Amino acid sequence: RAAPGDADAPRSVALTPAQARAFDTLDLTPPVTLEELKTRYRQLVKRYHPDANGGDRTAEERFKAVSAAYAALRDGFSA
């Protein structure tokens, strides 16, 4: 068992409800790196982009949700 303050100890991640929904929308489990977040975002926008789906409204709504989720989580990373 890791000692308190041990760098290798698993850390719990406290999420706001909005962050939890964003992780769910992107089908990710925290914690993630910025690079993992970007990679998943790119995969999903490519899949759900309206131009790739012949204007399908369901895909368009999913695309918007993915974009909003990415923006919400991206803001949590400092540059």
Side-chain angles (χ1 to χ4, degrees):
R1 182 172 180 182
D6 188 341
D8 293 329
R11 290 179 275 165
S12 62
V13 178
L15 299 175
T16 67
Q19 289 171 322
R21 283 190 305 275
F23 275 108
D24 187 50
T25 297
L26 297 174
D27 196 26
L28 289 172
T29 303
V32 297
T33 65
L34 181 56
E35 194 56 40
E36 290 168 329
L37 177 62
K38 287 179 181 181
T39 298
R40 185 64 179 152
Y41 170 73
R42 288 181 191 123
Q43 291 169 342
L44 293 175
V45 296
K46 185 175 181 181
R47 181 183 306 163
Y48 294 113
H49 194 282
D51 290 345
N53 289 286
D56 177 36
R57 288 286 186 201
T58 304
E60 182 179 351
E61 290 304 314
R62 181 80 170 126
F63 176 81
K64 289 177 185 178
V66 165
S67 296
Y70 173 73
L73 293 176
R74 178 196 62 215
D75 292 344
F77 288 91
S78 51

